[in-house]
């Protein structure tokens, strides 16, 4: 019985990885004639992850682990790219610093509103989202020539030799994504801040009684989210040489979905960055599968499937499911 329970717990904790492997195997078999698992396609999927909210999902994980949410990540992503482009025309390095500061300041402000003003993180980050989107329009209209919805950076990419890609043709965004994922994993497992995230998310009052500075942990989590979102915006704007005014729209929802699919409990206290990473891969593998389907299949089904996946992921983590599972064990024991 103990052996069965041991294996059950292992499979349950590795459910995201197993779901990823199952999805890869099925997709490889179904689309074998289209080389679904070719090296080129694998790197394309990883590049999609890096360009479309993967970095933001890592930042979002910090916030969710401590039981909060950050709806401003997409707006930070967009504004940091615009600010980097504007300042970068004078000095590229100052442009990068200015862009990243956008995320740090916005994250700190949200953290301050949540911890000191006792405003819900949903409301605080939503207000920041509106403010930052408005700031993008004001700054862009007054400082940069707009061609359609794209801001051009002096007809050149910022630091092109650094950000356009490796000599092998693999975008540098991919190794940076892996490095950042491992860094986040290390922070969550081997630092006081990382341990504090789980304690605060699990039970804030108990964490406070243990001597943990709950407010400090939450502020740091929001700063991490803003920092990573800004870093992502700077990277993307640097590599493309331009920033779109609508960049990052709905990216915060993608990030939350990837976290949920990756097994991060949205009420806080449970989850891993490795799970978030595999949640990203699952999300964009499904996205890629839709490009292989016949043209008659509506792409709107992708949104329906993603919604169902998020619902299932959150449902499995719910107290109801755990209570139901516990009651079954009690019944079996009584028998």
């Amino acid at each position: 019985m103990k052996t069965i329970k041991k294996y059950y717990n292992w499979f349950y904790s590795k459910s995201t990885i197993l779901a990823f492997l199952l999805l890869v195997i099925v997709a490889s078999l179904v689309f074998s004639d289209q080389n679904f698992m070719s090296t080129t396609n694998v790197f394309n999927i990883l590049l999609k992850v890096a360009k479309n909210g993967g970095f933001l999902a890592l930042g979002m994980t910090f916030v969710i682990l401590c039981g909060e949410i950050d709806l401003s990540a997409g707006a930070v992503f967009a504004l940091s790219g615009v600010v980097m482009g504007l300042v970068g025309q004078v000095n590229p390095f100052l442009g990068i610093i200015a862009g990243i500061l956008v995320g740090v300041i916005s994250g700190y402000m949200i953290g301050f509103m949540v911890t000191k003003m006792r405003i819900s993180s949903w409301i605080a980050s939503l207000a920041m989202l509106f403010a930052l989107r408005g700031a993008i329009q004001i700054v862009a209209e007054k400082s940069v020539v707009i061609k359609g919805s794209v801001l051009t950076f002096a007809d050149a990419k910022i630091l092109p030799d650094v950000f356009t890609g490796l000599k092998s043709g693999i975008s540098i965004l991919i190794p940076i994504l892996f490095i950042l994922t491992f860094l986040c994993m290390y922070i969550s497992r081997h630092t006081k801040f990382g341990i504090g995230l789980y304690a605060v998310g699990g039970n804030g009052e108990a964490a406070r009684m243990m001597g943990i500075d709950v407010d400090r942990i939450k502020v740091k989590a929001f700063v991490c989210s803003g920092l990573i979102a800004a870093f992502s915006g700077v990277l993307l704007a640097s590599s493309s040489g331009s920033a779109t005014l609508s960049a990052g729209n709905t990216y915060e929802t993608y990030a939350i979905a990837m976290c949920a699919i990756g097994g991060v409990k949205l009420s806080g206290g449970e989850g891993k960055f490795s799970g978030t990473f595999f949640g990203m891969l699952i999300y964009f593998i499904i996205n890629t599968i839709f490009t292989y389907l016949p043209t008659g299949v509506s792409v709107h089904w992708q949104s329906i499937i993603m919604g169902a996946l998020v619902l299932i992921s959150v449902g499995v983590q719910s107290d109801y499911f755990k209570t139901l599972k516990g009651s079954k064990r009690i019944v079996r024991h009584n028998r």
Side-chain angles (χ1 to χ4, degrees):
M1 187 67 182
K2 289 183 178 180
T3 304
I4 295 173
K5 184 177 180 181
K6 180 181 177 182
Y7 282 112
Y8 172 81
N9 290 334
W10 187 90
F11 278 106
Y12 183 77
S13 64
K14 302 293 188 296
S15 57
T16 304
I17 299 176
L18 294 172
F20 163 74
L21 292 174
L22 179 63
L23 184 61
V24 169
I25 292 170
V26 172
S28 301
L29 293 174
V30 173
F31 302 107
S32 58
D33 58 329
Q34 301 182 52
N35 297 319
F36 184 84
M37 286 305 296
S38 65
T39 304
T40 300
N41 196 42
V42 169
F43 282 121
N44 283 338
I45 292 173
L46 290 172
L47 190 56
K48 279 184 180 181
V49 173
K51 283 187 172 183
N52 298 286
F55 284 99
L56 275 64
L58 292 174
M60 190 70 70
T61 303
F62 281 104
V63 177
I64 294 177
L65 283 176
C66 66
E68 304 293 346
I69 204 73
D70 183 6
L71 300 178
S72 68
V76 170
F77 172 89
L79 183 58
S80 62
V82 172
V83 170
M84 185 277 297
L86 295 174
V87 180
Q89 293 182 40
V90 178
N91 185 296
F93 292 102
L94 285 179
I96 293 171
I97 293 171
I100 291 176
L101 278 176
V102 169
V104 174
I105 294 171
S106 65
Y108 180 82
M109 290 177 66
I110 296 172
F112 179 84
M113 286 188 282
V114 171
T115 59
K116 302 302 180 184
M117 300 175 68
R118 303 302 175 189
I119 299 174
S120 165
S121 59
W122 289 87
I123 302 301
S125 59
L126 182 63
M128 186 61 68
L129 182 155
F130 291 141
L132 294 179
R133 286 292 175 189
I136 293 171
Q137 298 292 337
I138 293 171
V139 172
E141 287 179 2
K142 290 187 176 181
S143 304
V144 183
V145 176
I146 302 177
K147 296 180 179 179
S149 61
V150 177
L151 310 178
T152 57
F153 299 161
D155 298 323
K157 296 177 181 179
I158 306 297
L159 300 178
D161 293 333
V162 178
F163 291 107
T164 53
L166 303 175
K167 291 182 179 180
S168 62
I170 302 171
S171 171
I172 199 169
L173 296 175
I174 295 174
I176 289 177
L177 179 65
F178 276 96
I179 292 170
L180 186 59
T181 300
F182 285 119
L183 178 61
C184 291
M185 290 169 63
Y186 177 83
I187 291 172
S188 67
R189 294 177 182 179
H190 302 288
T191 66
K192 290 182 179 179
F193 168 57
I195 296 170
L197 284 173
Y198 290 96
V200 171
N203 190 322
E205 288 305 316
R208 187 173 279 108
M209 292 174 66
M210 291 169 59
I212 296 174
D213 192 335
V214 174
D215 290 352
R216 193 185 193 91
I217 293 291
K218 288 187 177 183
V219 170
K220 283 185 177 180
F222 281 108
V223 169
C224 286
S225 178
L227 174 64
I228 294 175
F231 177 66
S232 176
V234 166
L235 278 178
L236 266 295
S238 299
S239 63
S240 64
S242 63
T244 306
L245 296 180
S246 60
N249 267 348
T250 70
Y251 275 19
E252 56 277 349
T253 58
Y254 296 167
I256 295 170
M258 292 176 209
C259 291
I261 293 171
V264 180
K265 190 175 181 180
L266 297 185
S267 58
E270 294 181 20
K272 297 179 180 179
F273 282 92
S274 57
T276 297
F277 181 75
F278 282 103
M280 300 176 202
L281 295 179
I282 290 172
Y283 188 100
F284 284 101
I285 286 174
I286 293 174
N287 176 276
T288 303
I289 287 174
F290 269 82
T291 65
Y292 283 80
L293 295 177
T295 54
V297 179
S298 173
V299 294
H300 299 301
W301 280 102
Q302 179 182 335
S303 297
I304 296 174
I305 291 174
M306 291 303 179
L309 276 176
V310 172
L311 187 61
I312 292 170
S313 301
V314 174
V316 168
Q317 302 168 21
S318 68
D319 293 335
Y320 172 79
F321 182 83
K322 291 180 179 179
T323 303
L324 184 64
K325 186 168 62 176
S327 64
K328 287 182 178 179
R329 289 177 181 173
I330 292 172
V331 171
R332 289 175 184 173
H333 179 72
N334 292 334
R335 287 179 181 176

